[in-house]
Amino acid sequence: MTRQQSRQDFEYFTLVRTAWHAQPEGYTRINAEFKDRFSRRRHGIERVTISASGAILARYLGARPDKKFDSRINIARNFVYMSPSMRALYEYMPGGFVTYHAYDPDKKYMKNGKRLDMLARSFFRHSYDGLGVRSRAYAMAWRVTTRYRDATDVRWMSIACGVGQATFDAARLLPGDVSHFLIDMDGDALVSARELSESYNIEADRMQTEQLNVITDNKRLVSRIRQFKPNIVDAMGLFEYLESKDASMLLRSIYEHLPVGGSIFFTNMLPSHPHLAVHRRGMGWPGVIVREEREVIEICEQAGLPVGNTAVLRPSDGVYAVYEVLK
């Protein structure tokens, strides 16, 4: 089966086109192209400059496979961290205070209160890392608004939520009321998430947070799922940090206790990331386990998830795949 869907405009992004392909294993692959305000013509020169710079650094690192991030001479690292703001943000990797700026480069101030400089803002607007973080969020938002377009009351649990802006933005596209339960290991991120929720006019009684390691304290996670009974559970930007055994355990725990009709959304970085070497050895982003689509489907199968109820969303930038599983 192959079908296509034409352009859809949302408040903060555009779905340009999609192509749906049924896979022999039983799941559906959806190729999608997204654009946002940084795709506009006025950003053209800036985007070409950042893209070309990234390509040069990728070639530099590709010709030097043994060059590590912390090598004494690493031109790629020196270029990425030419920006004082990028140097300041390095201490927050791999947390939500960095992806916060990738998701919304118009946010001008860092956690330490200093202003984000123009080099860093350009990097987050136009690098593949910035594009990928936004397109994975747009993919989730598109599917959530499609599936829950008639829902009057939605309960949304976000695991490894960071500061929560991707969840909040997607939730505000829904027509009914949304209750949030945000979980993260980082207590400071949860404090920032609560502060950010106020700017979205989310009522205090519809906002819960909890500091929790969902792997080492899996029983407490299960207890929270049972109590909250979420319609949606997202874990965007978590699974690429988990070994397969832990990823499978987490998926099983969520799916088994998710109410019927609920959805799970999660991501994994792809080996097709065009500037993966820059991500790893130029930016020095720690701990990411890239996986092919089929590897993640195998983890889903090991967790007992129904492959026939799974869709794999593939944004055209090639950085992430987003996985949607319906119970």
Side-chain angles (χ1 to χ4, degrees):
M1 175 190 72
T2 300
R3 62 187 178 93
Q4 297 189 359
Q5 179 175 327
S6 57
R7 180 185 180 105
Q8 278 186 274
D9 291 314
F10 296 86
E11 287 183 26
Y12 57 98
F13 69 93
T14 295
L15 173 66
V16 178
R17 63 179 64 86
T18 63
W20 302 54
H21 306 279
Q23 301 302 300
E25 296 85 352
Y27 67 93
T28 301
R29 178 187 298 139
I30 307 174
N31 295 325
E33 180 182 353
F34 298 97
K35 289 187 176 181
D36 60 18
R37 62 193 182 279
F38 304 116
S39 309
R40 295 170 185 162
R41 184 176 299 176
R42 69 187 183 90
H43 291 291
I45 294 175
E46 185 181 11
R47 174 152 294 192
V48 168
T49 301
I50 295 297
S51 180
S53 300
I56 291 169
L57 298 182
R59 285 197 296 271
Y60 165 80
L61 291 169
R64 298 163 178 81
D66 296 327
K67 178 76 69 178
K68 293 180 171 43
F69 170 71
D70 57 358
S71 295
R72 188 175 63 85
I73 299 175
N74 183 340
I75 293 173
R77 181 196 64 220
N78 294 342
F79 185 88
V80 170
Y81 289 101
M82 187 185 307
S83 155
S85 294
M86 291 298 292
R87 294 196 295 273
L89 286 169
Y90 179 72
E91 67 177 283
Y92 299 116
M93 291 184 185
F97 290 113
V98 181
T99 54
Y100 173 74
H101 293 291
Y103 183 71
D104 191 352
D106 286 339
K107 299 297 185 184
K108 297 179 181 179
Y109 292 93
M110 298 179 286
K111 182 179 183 293
N112 61 12
K114 294 183 179 179
R115 190 179 179 90
L116 197 71
D117 62 48
M118 282 305 301
L119 280 174
R121 292 177 68 189
S122 293
F123 177 85
F124 287 126
R125 283 172 178 165
H126 304 298
S127 69
Y128 274 102
D129 280 309
L131 293 172
V133 165
R134 293 196 300 277
S135 68
R136 75 184 189 188
Y138 301 157
M140 177 181 69
W142 165 56
R143 294 299 293 158
V144 164
T145 57
T146 300
R147 191 168 299 286
Y148 297 96
R149 61 181 176 270
D150 298 321
T152 57
D153 192 11
V154 170
R155 295 176 301 281
W156 192 322
M157 177 177 282
S158 182
I159 296 172
C161 63
V163 300
Q165 77 270 39
T167 299
F168 297 151
D169 272 342
R172 69 185 170 91
L173 299 178
L174 296 174
D177 294 322
V178 181
S179 297
H180 296 273
F181 195 141
L182 272 57
I183 294 172
D184 203 284
M185 290 173 56
D186 186 343
D188 288 341
L190 292 174
V191 171
S192 293
R194 278 200 168 274
E195 293 172 353
L196 186 63
S197 73
E198 295 175 4
S199 69
Y200 285 83
N201 297 316
I202 297 172
E203 298 173 5
D205 61 354
R206 287 188 172 272
M207 179 72 181
Q208 299 180 59
T209 61
E210 184 159 353
Q211 187 173 1
L212 175 61
N213 184 321
V214 296
I215 300 301
T216 60
D217 203 350
N218 187 255
K219 289 183 178 179
R220 187 148 58 110
L221 171 66
V222 168
S223 173
R224 298 303 180 261
I225 294 172
R226 286 174 170 171
Q227 293 168 5
F228 188 61
K229 297 180 173 61
N231 306 101
I232 302 167
V233 176
D234 83 70
M236 308 291 280
L238 171 62
F239 278 76
E240 52 261 54
Y241 299 100
L242 301 180
E243 297 295 338
S244 296
K245 181 180 178 181
D246 288 336
S248 177
M249 177 197 70
L250 180 57
L251 282 176
R252 183 183 295 275
S253 298
I254 297 170
Y255 186 81
E256 285 185 351
H257 303 285
L258 187 71
V260 173
S263 302
I264 306 171
F265 291 89
F266 65 97
T267 65
N268 213 111
M269 185 175 284
L270 291 160
S272 61
H273 184 325
H275 293 166
L276 182 58
V278 180
H279 174 84
R280 285 175 159 171
R281 297 186 284 132
M283 195 176 183
W285 196 273
V288 170
I289 304 170
V290 298
R291 293 184 175 100
E292 295 284 3
E293 176 182 304
R294 181 59 207 167
E295 293 178 82
V296 178
I297 293 296
E298 289 174 357
I299 292 173
C300 291
E301 291 175 325
Q302 293 164 10
L305 275 61
V307 175
N309 287 3
T310 301
V312 182
L313 316 177
R314 297 287 296 260
S316 56
D317 51 61
V319 178
Y320 290 96
V322 180
Y323 299 84
E324 174 194 15
V325 185
L326 177 66
K327 185 166 182 179

